[in-house]
Amino acid sequence: MRVPAELPASLLALATAQEGLLSAQQCERHDVGRSRRAGWLRAGRWRAVARGVVDTIAVPPERRTVHDVPRTPVPPWVLTDVGAAVRRSGRATAAVHRDRSDSDLLFDHLRRRSAWVGLLAFGPEAIAVGPCALALLGVEGLPPSIRPEVALPRASNRPDREGIGLRQFDDGMTTVIVSDRRTGPWRLAAPEWAIAQAVPELSMEHGLAVLDSALRLEVVDRAGAARAHDHARGRRGIARRHELWEWADPDAASWTESAARWQCIEEGVPPDILQLPVSGRSGRVVGVGDMAWRLDGGEWLVAELDGFEWHEGDVRSERRDRDRDNDFAAAPGIQLRRPCSCARSERSERAQLHGRRQGVSLLSTMDRAEPMAMCMSRYW
């Protein structure tokens, strides 16, 4: 088979910026016409995604690893908006710039790719909305896979196209810009509107995680979250999700902690505090418990939800937690340490937390064979 001619470096840079995607119009502007595009598709070097949109990464999205992810895509809005950066606290700045695991990088790529599919398919007037806007904003807590969604001015009755949702343009919706020198400006729903559009349609766990993340990264403050709640009123699905705004907490450090917390809330045992410092016998802080419950006797039940699976395969985080186990085990307290699979699926174990108010030592009953052992001691 004839090998297609090499592509201009400027076009390859643009594809990298857009998570591997290009529109037909962009290709034309770089002198890559219909016949050359067809050659790359026939050769299996590109993949057709939607009408007028191609993926320059040959590996299907569902089979990709972190090694297939473009290294320099357009940064999320939370990293580039100067005004937000000036107002951001030190804690939020650290959260925004935290190291990303391989799984973080892969799922971030897949979500942002969905957002770019919608924008490129509908052109410069398109506005990324809902979960797609949140992905480009840099808000965490979304499902690994999201549907492409955009809004167009004056397009309230146009049908969806090729799996891309076309949303009615919200009256009064404001937008922000995501861009760099390679792509030029693209619009997305402003944070308050994106939250209002997404949360009513997400699961309870992901909805809470999105709100937690938006507050933790200071994409919105409490007043902004309240305005998002007002924008969400009357939308399908919001009736069951009003309480998520009451439970939203910037101290939740990850989507998995948010999910575990929601499941505890469902069982009627919401934690009393998040991120509780745990001190060893010397008084030195040896770690921070993800969730904690105050027992009747004045003790704390501290839950750590960690381990290899909890960190979605991030070996460095798993090793850090394993090394910290000995310090936690020696600390004067009661601690429950479980991998993520338990928090996600074992309702019977979460239900046993009901015994905490009577100071019952319920941890010994939780003897499921799991990769991470429980730590048991007293913490005063």
Side-chain angles (χ1 to χ4, degrees):
M1 180 180 292
R2 182 180 177 184
V3 177
E6 288 302 313
L7 298 168
S10 57
L11 186 62
L12 294 175
L14 181 58
T16 295
Q18 298 171 168
E19 304 294 345
L21 300 173
L22 293 169
S23 71
Q25 292 83 359
Q26 290 172 333
C27 291
E28 292 286 350
R29 287 198 295 269
H30 287 80
D31 297 322
V32 177
R34 183 189 299 270
S35 61
R36 288 183 67 185
R37 297 197 298 274
W40 281 85
L41 290 168
R42 284 194 303 269
R45 306 277 290 273
W46 284 4
R47 299 173 59 85
V49 177
R51 188 189 312 163
V53 181
V54 295
D55 193 337
T56 64
I57 302 173
V59 179
E62 65 275 10
R63 290 171 48 195
R64 290 180 190 176
T65 70
V66 70
H67 303 294
D68 302 307
V69 174
R71 293 301 166 186
T72 55
V74 172
W77 175 87
V78 73
L79 284 176
T80 59
D81 184 75
V82 176
V86 169
R87 298 186 298 271
R88 193 174 292 136
S89 68
R91 187 176 76 160
T93 299
V96 166
H97 294 280
R98 71 176 178 84
D99 290 337
R100 312 289 291 175
S101 70
D102 286 352
S103 55
D104 287 333
L105 294 172
L106 175 60
F107 291 133
D108 287 347
H109 158 69
L110 294 175
R111 297 179 191 111
R112 291 196 296 255
R113 176 186 180 275
S114 290
W116 280 108
V117 167
L119 291 173
L120 294 173
F122 282 94
E125 281 197 322
I127 301 167
V129 292
C132 289
L134 291 176
L136 293 175
L137 287 167
V139 174
E140 300 168 359
L142 293 165
S145 177
I146 59 175
R147 181 193 188 201
E149 277 191 340
V150 297
L152 290 175
R154 305 173 301 280
S156 60
N157 295 317
R158 289 178 59 178
D160 296 351
R161 190 175 84 191
E162 299 174 287
I164 303 168
L166 189 58
R167 232 185 229 277
Q168 182 170 342
F169 193 94
D170 283 308
D171 185 33
M173 183 176 73
T174 55
T175 62
V176 296
I177 299 295
V178 64
S179 70
D180 71 6
R181 57 180 176 76
R182 297 166 293 179
T183 65
W186 291 87
R187 288 198 295 165
L188 50 146
E192 295 170 13
W193 285 97
I195 291 169
Q197 294 158 351
V199 170
E201 299 175 0
L202 294 172
S203 69
M204 302 297 276
E205 289 93 341
H206 285 290
L208 181 60
V210 160
L211 288 165
D212 287 345
S213 173
L215 291 170
R216 180 174 69 255
L217 302 177
E218 296 181 7
V219 171
V220 294
D221 56 15
R222 286 288 183 183
R227 288 191 293 272
H229 193 186
D230 289 339
H231 297 326
R233 296 184 190 279
R235 296 176 188 268
R236 181 180 303 173
I238 192 59
R240 292 188 60 247
R241 290 166 175 78
H242 288 303
E243 63 181 309
L244 296 181
W245 271 266
E246 299 174 16
W247 290 110
D249 193 327
D251 287 337
S254 67
W255 103 258
T256 40
E257 290 181 23
S258 299
R261 184 166 107 261
W262 173 252
Q263 292 173 5
C264 290
I265 291 168
E266 281 190 304
E267 296 292 347
V269 284
D272 296 316
I273 191 172
L274 305 181
Q275 310 306 324
L276 178 73
V278 177
S279 298
R281 298 186 186 282
S282 67
R284 180 178 63 87
V285 174
V286 296
V288 178
D290 296 326
M291 301 185 292
W293 294 259
R294 186 81 176 190
L295 302 180
D296 286 346
E299 304 158 313
W300 285 99
L301 174 65
V302 181
E304 267 289 284
L305 298 108
D306 287 310
F308 184 85
E309 186 181 358
W310 187 248
H311 286 288
E312 298 178 315
D314 181 18
V315 177
R316 291 173 298 176
S317 296
E318 186 271 338
R319 186 179 298 119
R320 178 201 64 200
D321 291 332
R322 183 192 62 201
D323 294 343
R324 195 175 58 177
D325 275 350
N326 289 337
D327 288 336
F328 263 66
I334 298 178
Q335 287 136 31
L336 164 64
R337 190 175 182 84
R338 302 300 279 165
C340 65
S341 58
C342 295
R344 288 172 176 165
S345 61
E346 291 302 307
R347 287 184 177 271
S348 61
E349 294 188 358
R350 297 193 303 274
Q352 292 181 72
L353 286 169
H354 284 288
R356 82 191 195 285
R357 292 302 181 194
Q358 288 73 42
V360 176
S361 181
L362 53 90
L363 303 184
S364 61
T365 67
M366 302 182 187
D367 57 358
R368 253 184 64 148
E370 294 286 356
M372 188 66 70
M374 290 175 290
C375 307
M376 299 195 52
S377 56
R378 292 260 168 199
Y379 176 48
W380 301 88

